[in-house]
Amino acid sequence: MSNARSVPAHLESLADSLRKTTLRKLFASDHQRAAALTRSLHLGDAELMADFSKQLITGEVVDALVAEARSAGVESLRTDMVSGRAINSTEGRAVTHMAMRATSDLTAPDALRAEVNEHDQLMRAAVDAIPAGIRDVVNIGIGGSDLGPALLCDALASMRKPVRDVRFVSNIDPVDLDRALEGLNPAHTLFVVCSKSFGTSETLANARRAIAWLVAGGVTRPGDHVIAVTAQPERVASSGIPARYVLIMPESVGGRFSVSSPVSVAVALAYGCDALGEVRDGMRTMDEHFVRTPAADNIAMLLGLVWWWNSTVLGFPTVAVVPYSRVLALLPSYLQQLIMESNGKSVSRDGEAVPVSSPIVWGGLGTNAQHAFFQLLHQGTHVVPCDFIGHSMSLGSSGDDHDTLVANMFAQAQALAVGVTADEVGGDTALRAHRTTPGNRPSTTLLFSKLTPRALGALIALYEHATFVQGAMWNVNSFDQWGVELGKKLANQVAADMGSVAEDMKGTPSVEHDASTAQLLQQHRVWRSGR
Ligand code: F6P
């Protein structure tokens, strides 16, 4: 794989022929369509049905996408990833998130698994050693050091009984930590300071305030109330943040791919190591499916290829992810980081411009989203492909209401695909144009029999792999994130110029600001000083 890739002519011509038809016609002309474009996977204690039939694809498109994936080298890149080759080329690192849950060399090399097991044993020992008196856990971290464990904890709350309460603090906005600490007793509180780099200013500032809160609350050995998680243990020591346990995540696991690493120790503290183990089991099931299933039947491969088809060939610039499950409320935010931080790139691995890369990922919870942005999905001028995610068995106390929830999900996908014509609308002629919905708007439905910790893990791994597949199709490096560095650097410089700055920002040299920034800075100084 070398250059930035353009869309081959035969895919463009398949897209042109699909533009001349509609989903309505495709379903009418092929009664096997739904079954033919659906794939299933057994997840141990749950089943997954992935229905791609409401996408603007045909069997011929699937075959062409699979062939295109082969010529793009997706499968060989996957082999390189599994074998531990440094496919994160700009950082010279292997990409080893699958090793965090691997039990065989199918998904990670033996030596790596041995190292991971060692770190995992340390995590289990730390969790087991936490005194019963610790009743509350506060995870301090941001990005991948927050979103994954927060998603898991929020979801597991309806599946497993918590051992401890857990809260999440990510933002440097002091309100975030203030609110998280409300009602907590320092003597009974444990902080997980989670930062792969142990250099993220928001996390370190919040951690220092948390330590000060412990000390002010009479805790004489604050380090006993801190677990640090990082790939840079020596920075924990030099940060001055005391920690009883320092858990290690490998440098080769990207922050946004780190949910199955010790980054999720808060999950183990709140719901037990076994619950986290079940999530990892589900991830491994998806990993093994991804690694060994031929592309045409590979749900992760197809999900990634369909996203690529929609953005790159059909030209739809955004995707809405809509879980119909309260416990997946944090999934859209989680996926925003996973997908956009991975594939929001403008150059290929070789530094050549790529014309299209990651779609903009957004979304929200069904049915709430129906009463917010669905009007645009149905009748707006943008076509927004959707991923609908739901499960048949309720996690709440009413199966009937859950059925209504699922019915809404099916109905929305149907309305988007089929629409309603002016003739079908009938009634007042003047209103017909307003009441017509065009249909032909693509979606995938991921339906689980039930959402167990394993199913949740499989869902997360599914999107990890779909992200990988898209990155490989565009030939971008999905595992670096240089774009976020400039903003971080400038934030440090602006903060230094404000005078009142956090410890980690001190000493950053002042720079010349553009006129707008200088003006904002000046106004802020005035308002901040109360003049
Ligand atoms: O936003 C950039 C980023 O580096 C993410 O990739 C990462 O998940 C987040 O910051 C937090 O980084 P760390 O875990 O090193 O504190």
Side-chain angles (χ1 to χ4, degrees), residues 141-145 194-200 203 249 254-256 337 341 481 484-485 488:
I142 197 163
S145 297
C194 215
S195 175
K196 180 180 169 185
S197 61
F198 229 78
T200 302
T203 300
M249 62 183 288
R256 55 194 173 271
Q337 188 205 14
E341 194 167 67
Q481 59 285 316
V484 297
E485 295 307 321
K488 281 187 197 173

PDB file of all heavy atoms in Angstrom, residues 141-145 194-200 203 249 254-256 337 341 481 484-485 488, ligand 1:
ATOM      1  N   GLY A 141      -9.466  11.911  34.003  1.00  0.00           N
ATOM      2  CA  GLY A 141      -8.805  11.660  32.716  1.00  0.00           C
ATOM      3  C   GLY A 141      -9.646  12.291  31.627  1.00  0.00           C
ATOM      4  O   GLY A 141     -10.788  12.693  31.867  1.00  0.00           O
ATOM      5  N   ILE A 142      -9.096  12.368  30.425  1.00  0.00           N
ATOM      6  CA  ILE A 142      -9.839  13.020  29.345  1.00  0.00           C
ATOM      7  C   ILE A 142      -9.599  12.245  28.042  1.00  0.00           C
ATOM      8  O   ILE A 142      -8.618  11.493  27.934  1.00  0.00           O
ATOM      9  CB  ILE A 142      -9.424  14.519  29.236  1.00  0.00           C
ATOM     10  CG1 ILE A 142     -10.437  15.325  28.426  1.00  0.00           C
ATOM     11  CG2 ILE A 142      -8.015  14.681  28.670  1.00  0.00           C
ATOM     12  CD1 ILE A 142     -10.322  16.838  28.612  1.00  0.00           C
ATOM     13  N   GLY A 143     -10.480  12.420  27.079  1.00  0.00           N
ATOM     14  CA  GLY A 143     -10.354  11.697  25.807  1.00  0.00           C
ATOM     15  C   GLY A 143     -10.449  10.205  26.060  1.00  0.00           C
ATOM     16  O   GLY A 143     -11.341   9.725  26.761  1.00  0.00           O
ATOM     17  N   GLY A 144      -9.482   9.472  25.535  1.00  0.00           N
ATOM     18  CA  GLY A 144      -9.495   8.026  25.702  1.00  0.00           C
ATOM     19  C   GLY A 144      -9.320   7.593  27.151  1.00  0.00           C
ATOM     20  O   GLY A 144      -9.615   6.447  27.498  1.00  0.00           O
ATOM     21  N   SER A 145      -8.862   8.471  28.005  1.00  0.00           N
ATOM     22  CA  SER A 145      -8.700   8.139  29.426  1.00  0.00           C
ATOM     23  C   SER A 145      -9.966   8.438  30.219  1.00  0.00           C
ATOM     24  O   SER A 145      -9.961   8.390  31.455  1.00  0.00           O
ATOM     25  CB  SER A 145      -7.505   8.914  30.003  1.00  0.00           C
ATOM     26  OG  SER A 145      -6.325   8.506  29.360  1.00  0.00           O
ATOM     27  N   CYS A 194      -5.863   8.952  35.299  1.00  0.00           N
ATOM     28  CA  CYS A 194      -5.695   8.171  34.091  1.00  0.00           C
ATOM     29  C   CYS A 194      -5.137   9.048  32.979  1.00  0.00           C
ATOM     30  O   CYS A 194      -5.801   9.997  32.550  1.00  0.00           O
ATOM     31  CB  CYS A 194      -7.093   7.711  33.706  1.00  0.00           C
ATOM     32  SG  CYS A 194      -7.152   6.137  32.986  1.00  0.00           S
ATOM     33  N   SER A 195      -3.938   8.780  32.540  1.00  0.00           N
ATOM     34  CA  SER A 195      -3.383   9.567  31.443  1.00  0.00           C
ATOM     35  C   SER A 195      -2.262   8.757  30.804  1.00  0.00           C
ATOM     36  O   SER A 195      -1.241   8.501  31.445  1.00  0.00           O
ATOM     37  CB  SER A 195      -2.842  10.904  31.963  1.00  0.00           C
ATOM     38  OG  SER A 195      -2.201  11.593  30.915  1.00  0.00           O
ATOM     39  N   LYS A 196      -2.466   8.375  29.579  1.00  0.00           N
ATOM     40  CA  LYS A 196      -1.437   7.587  28.886  1.00  0.00           C
ATOM     41  C   LYS A 196      -0.102   8.336  28.911  1.00  0.00           C
ATOM     42  O   LYS A 196       0.923   7.770  29.235  1.00  0.00           O
ATOM     43  CB  LYS A 196      -1.879   7.314  27.444  1.00  0.00           C
ATOM     44  CG  LYS A 196      -0.873   6.513  26.676  1.00  0.00           C
ATOM     45  CD  LYS A 196      -1.319   6.242  25.261  1.00  0.00           C
ATOM     46  CE  LYS A 196      -0.128   5.677  24.491  1.00  0.00           C
ATOM     47  NZ  LYS A 196      -0.421   5.487  23.078  1.00  0.00           N
ATOM     48  N   SER A 197      -0.144   9.611  28.600  1.00  0.00           N
ATOM     49  CA  SER A 197       1.098  10.403  28.524  1.00  0.00           C
ATOM     50  C   SER A 197       1.546  10.922  29.893  1.00  0.00           C
ATOM     51  O   SER A 197       2.692  11.277  30.082  1.00  0.00           O
ATOM     52  CB  SER A 197       0.874  11.601  27.611  1.00  0.00           C
ATOM     53  OG  SER A 197      -0.164  12.416  28.145  1.00  0.00           O
ATOM     54  N   PHE A 198       0.637  10.980  30.825  1.00  0.00           N
ATOM     55  CA  PHE A 198       0.818  11.660  32.115  1.00  0.00           C
ATOM     56  C   PHE A 198       1.386  13.061  31.899  1.00  0.00           C
ATOM     57  O   PHE A 198       2.198  13.576  32.687  1.00  0.00           O
ATOM     58  CB  PHE A 198       1.672  10.855  33.109  1.00  0.00           C
ATOM     59  CG  PHE A 198       1.001  10.772  34.450  1.00  0.00           C
ATOM     60  CD1 PHE A 198      -0.039   9.887  34.670  1.00  0.00           C
ATOM     61  CD2 PHE A 198       1.378  11.621  35.492  1.00  0.00           C
ATOM     62  CE1 PHE A 198      -0.703   9.834  35.888  1.00  0.00           C
ATOM     63  CE2 PHE A 198       0.725  11.572  36.721  1.00  0.00           C
ATOM     64  CZ  PHE A 198      -0.310  10.678  36.920  1.00  0.00           C
ATOM     65  N   GLY A 199       0.910  13.680  30.812  1.00  0.00           N
ATOM     66  CA  GLY A 199       1.349  15.038  30.526  1.00  0.00           C
ATOM     67  C   GLY A 199       0.175  15.923  30.135  1.00  0.00           C
ATOM     68  O   GLY A 199       0.376  17.075  29.757  1.00  0.00           O
ATOM     69  N   THR A 200      -1.028  15.408  30.224  1.00  0.00           N
ATOM     70  CA  THR A 200      -2.197  16.179  29.781  1.00  0.00           C
ATOM     71  C   THR A 200      -2.565  17.190  30.861  1.00  0.00           C
ATOM     72  O   THR A 200      -2.859  16.817  32.000  1.00  0.00           O
ATOM     73  CB  THR A 200      -3.368  15.216  29.476  1.00  0.00           C
ATOM     74  OG1 THR A 200      -2.928  14.306  28.476  1.00  0.00           O
ATOM     75  CG2 THR A 200      -4.597  15.955  28.991  1.00  0.00           C
ATOM     76  N   THR A 203      -5.786  16.910  33.032  1.00  0.00           N
ATOM     77  CA  THR A 203      -5.790  15.790  33.981  1.00  0.00           C
ATOM     78  C   THR A 203      -4.874  16.071  35.164  1.00  0.00           C
ATOM     79  O   THR A 203      -5.239  15.826  36.333  1.00  0.00           O
ATOM     80  CB  THR A 203      -5.364  14.499  33.241  1.00  0.00           C
ATOM     81  OG1 THR A 203      -6.313  14.285  32.192  1.00  0.00           O
ATOM     82  CG2 THR A 203      -5.324  13.303  34.169  1.00  0.00           C
ATOM     83  N   MET A 249      -0.176   0.877  30.942  1.00  0.00           N
ATOM     84  CA  MET A 249      -0.746   0.513  29.641  1.00  0.00           C
ATOM     85  C   MET A 249       0.376   0.650  28.616  1.00  0.00           C
ATOM     86  O   MET A 249       1.244   1.516  28.760  1.00  0.00           O
ATOM     87  CB  MET A 249      -1.905   1.438  29.282  1.00  0.00           C
ATOM     88  CG  MET A 249      -1.492   2.879  29.145  1.00  0.00           C
ATOM     89  SD  MET A 249      -2.850   3.998  28.810  1.00  0.00           S
ATOM     90  CE  MET A 249      -3.237   3.573  27.118  1.00  0.00           C
ATOM     91  N   GLY A 254      -3.342   2.994  21.513  1.00  0.00           N
ATOM     92  CA  GLY A 254      -3.762   4.389  21.388  1.00  0.00           C
ATOM     93  C   GLY A 254      -4.809   4.738  22.441  1.00  0.00           C
ATOM     94  O   GLY A 254      -5.596   3.871  22.847  1.00  0.00           O
ATOM     95  N   GLY A 255      -4.822   5.986  22.896  1.00  0.00           N
ATOM     96  CA  GLY A 255      -5.782   6.386  23.930  1.00  0.00           C
ATOM     97  C   GLY A 255      -7.210   6.017  23.551  1.00  0.00           C
ATOM     98  O   GLY A 255      -7.962   5.451  24.358  1.00  0.00           O
ATOM     99  N   ARG A 256      -7.604   6.299  22.317  1.00  0.00           N
ATOM    100  CA  ARG A 256      -9.000   6.044  21.914  1.00  0.00           C
ATOM    101  C   ARG A 256      -9.275   4.566  21.673  1.00  0.00           C
ATOM    102  O   ARG A 256     -10.408   4.176  21.428  1.00  0.00           O
ATOM    103  CB  ARG A 256      -9.335   6.874  20.676  1.00  0.00           C
ATOM    104  CG  ARG A 256      -8.396   6.676  19.510  1.00  0.00           C
ATOM    105  CD  ARG A 256      -8.557   7.747  18.465  1.00  0.00           C
ATOM    106  NE  ARG A 256      -7.551   7.655  17.417  1.00  0.00           N
ATOM    107  CZ  ARG A 256      -6.365   8.254  17.443  1.00  0.00           C
ATOM    108  NH1 ARG A 256      -6.027   8.995  18.481  1.00  0.00           N
ATOM    109  NH2 ARG A 256      -5.524   8.131  16.439  1.00  0.00           N
ATOM    110  N   GLN A 337     -14.665  10.406  19.254  1.00  0.00           N
ATOM    111  CA  GLN A 337     -13.206  10.390  19.409  1.00  0.00           C
ATOM    112  C   GLN A 337     -12.583   9.239  18.618  1.00  0.00           C
ATOM    113  O   GLN A 337     -11.617   9.423  17.876  1.00  0.00           O
ATOM    114  CB  GLN A 337     -12.775  10.274  20.882  1.00  0.00           C
ATOM    115  CG  GLN A 337     -11.254  10.472  21.002  1.00  0.00           C
ATOM    116  CD  GLN A 337     -10.600   9.823  22.214  1.00  0.00           C
ATOM    117  OE1 GLN A 337     -11.200   8.983  22.878  1.00  0.00           O
ATOM    118  NE2 GLN A 337      -9.371  10.195  22.501  1.00  0.00           N
ATOM    119  N   GLU A 341     -10.863  11.193  15.641  1.00  0.00           N
ATOM    120  CA  GLU A 341      -9.453  11.404  15.986  1.00  0.00           C
ATOM    121  C   GLU A 341      -8.567  10.431  15.197  1.00  0.00           C
ATOM    122  O   GLU A 341      -7.415  10.731  14.880  1.00  0.00           O
ATOM    123  CB  GLU A 341      -9.213  11.245  17.503  1.00  0.00           C
ATOM    124  CG  GLU A 341      -7.861  11.784  17.944  1.00  0.00           C
ATOM    125  CD  GLU A 341      -7.721  11.923  19.457  1.00  0.00           C
ATOM    126  OE1 GLU A 341      -7.715  10.870  20.135  1.00  0.00           O
ATOM    127  OE2 GLU A 341      -7.623  13.055  19.966  1.00  0.00           O
ATOM    128  N   GLN A 481      -2.342  11.460  16.051  1.00  0.00           N
ATOM    129  CA  GLN A 481      -3.296  12.575  16.197  1.00  0.00           C
ATOM    130  C   GLN A 481      -2.541  13.893  16.305  1.00  0.00           C
ATOM    131  O   GLN A 481      -2.714  14.661  17.247  1.00  0.00           O
ATOM    132  CB  GLN A 481      -4.246  12.371  17.409  1.00  0.00           C
ATOM    133  CG  GLN A 481      -3.601  12.231  18.789  1.00  0.00           C
ATOM    134  CD  GLN A 481      -2.966  10.891  18.992  1.00  0.00           C
ATOM    135  OE1 GLN A 481      -3.528   9.861  18.653  1.00  0.00           O
ATOM    136  NE2 GLN A 481      -1.767  10.890  19.566  1.00  0.00           N
ATOM    137  N   VAL A 484      -4.127  17.601  17.067  1.00  0.00           N
ATOM    138  CA  VAL A 484      -4.563  18.192  18.329  1.00  0.00           C
ATOM    139  C   VAL A 484      -3.411  18.897  19.055  1.00  0.00           C
ATOM    140  O   VAL A 484      -3.631  19.602  20.043  1.00  0.00           O
ATOM    141  CB  VAL A 484      -5.227  17.150  19.271  1.00  0.00           C
ATOM    142  CG1 VAL A 484      -6.484  16.593  18.644  1.00  0.00           C
ATOM    143  CG2 VAL A 484      -4.269  16.032  19.621  1.00  0.00           C
ATOM    144  N   GLU A 485      -2.192  18.715  18.549  1.00  0.00           N
ATOM    145  CA  GLU A 485      -1.025  19.237  19.279  1.00  0.00           C
ATOM    146  C   GLU A 485      -0.936  20.765  19.258  1.00  0.00           C
ATOM    147  O   GLU A 485      -0.617  21.395  20.259  1.00  0.00           O
ATOM    148  CB  GLU A 485       0.271  18.632  18.735  1.00  0.00           C
ATOM    149  CG  GLU A 485       0.394  17.136  18.945  1.00  0.00           C
ATOM    150  CD  GLU A 485       0.185  16.737  20.400  1.00  0.00           C
ATOM    151  OE1 GLU A 485       0.652  17.466  21.292  1.00  0.00           O
ATOM    152  OE2 GLU A 485      -0.463  15.706  20.641  1.00  0.00           O
ATOM    153  N   LYS A 488      -3.100  22.450  21.765  1.00  0.00           N
ATOM    154  CA  LYS A 488      -2.591  22.251  23.141  1.00  0.00           C
ATOM    155  C   LYS A 488      -1.447  23.227  23.415  1.00  0.00           C
ATOM    156  O   LYS A 488      -1.387  23.853  24.475  1.00  0.00           O
ATOM    157  CB  LYS A 488      -2.041  20.829  23.289  1.00  0.00           C
ATOM    158  CG  LYS A 488      -3.070  19.761  23.494  1.00  0.00           C
ATOM    159  CD  LYS A 488      -2.336  18.453  23.800  1.00  0.00           C
ATOM    160  CE  LYS A 488      -3.236  17.250  23.627  1.00  0.00           C
ATOM    161  NZ  LYS A 488      -2.533  15.989  23.743  1.00  0.00           N
TER     162      LYS A 488
HETATM  163  O1  F6P B   1      -6.901  14.684  22.527  1.00  0.00           O
HETATM  164  C1  F6P B   1      -5.625  14.207  22.346  1.00  0.00           C
HETATM  165  C2  F6P B   1      -5.314  13.077  23.272  1.00  0.00           C
HETATM  166  O2  F6P B   1      -3.949  12.855  23.155  1.00  0.00           O
HETATM  167  C3  F6P B   1      -6.101  11.794  22.993  1.00  0.00           C
HETATM  168  O3  F6P B   1      -5.568  11.070  21.951  1.00  0.00           O
HETATM  169  C4  F6P B   1      -6.041  11.122  24.312  1.00  0.00           C
HETATM  170  O4  F6P B   1      -6.998  10.109  24.463  1.00  0.00           O
HETATM  171  C5  F6P B   1      -6.275  12.309  25.234  1.00  0.00           C
HETATM  172  O5  F6P B   1      -5.591  13.379  24.632  1.00  0.00           O
HETATM  173  C6  F6P B   1      -5.788  12.114  26.633  1.00  0.00           C
HETATM  174  O6  F6P B   1      -4.425  11.802  26.637  1.00  0.00           O
HETATM  175  P1  F6P B   1      -3.735  11.163  27.895  1.00  0.00           P
HETATM  176  O7  F6P B   1      -4.379   9.847  28.161  1.00  0.00           O
HETATM  177  O8  F6P B   1      -2.299  11.045  27.518  1.00  0.00           O
HETATM  178  O9  F6P B   1      -3.931  12.103  29.050  1.00  0.00           O
END
